[in-house]
Amino acid sequence: MTTDGIERIVVIGAGQAGGWVCRTLRQEGFSGRISVVADEPEDFYERPPLSKAVLTSQADLPRLFPVDAVAGMAIDWYRPCTAVGLDRDRRR
């Protein structure tokens, strides 16, 4: 994987898309910092079709990857934290 000098990538959200971005980056050889900004308390998860159990918080959201796989991605987590904007010039 070519990263053209990129040392850090920030992913917004800990849902399914964010999880696959992080996993793919690592599988393709990205060795820089990966930071995830997420309001969700769970690691990467799948959102199942809505059901009463999900709506009433009686069911856990299914994990996208096993705990050890997420740990192996060496992610810097920022949570609970809501991303409200990007400042490319200041890299924030």
Side-chain angles (χ1 to χ4, degrees):
M1 166 181 233
T2 177
T3 57
D4 297 327
I6 296 173
E7 297 175 9
R8 179 180 184 198
I9 293 176
V10 178
V11 176
I12 308 298
Q16 194 166 357
W20 281 107
V21 166
C22 293
R23 182 173 180 173
T24 301
L25 284 166
R26 290 297 188 221
Q27 286 179 335
E28 294 292 322
F30 180 71
S31 59
R33 283 180 62 192
I34 297 176
S35 299
V36 176
V37 177
D39 199 22
E40 305 90 349
E42 299 90 2
D43 289 348
F44 307 116
Y45 61 91
E46 295 181 71
R47 284 191 193 260
L50 288 179
S51 69
K52 266 189 188 174
V54 171
L55 291 174
T56 59
S57 299
Q58 295 174 357
D60 292 331
L61 293 172
R63 295 182 65 85
L64 192 56
F65 309 117
V67 174
D68 59 333
V70 174
M73 291 183 215
I75 293 170
D76 297 329
W77 289 95
Y78 294 88
R79 65 178 166 196
C81 188
T82 302
V84 294
L86 299 172
D87 184 340
R88 291 181 63 186
D89 294 334
R90 291 179 29 196
R91 301 182 134 200
R92 300 181 81 188

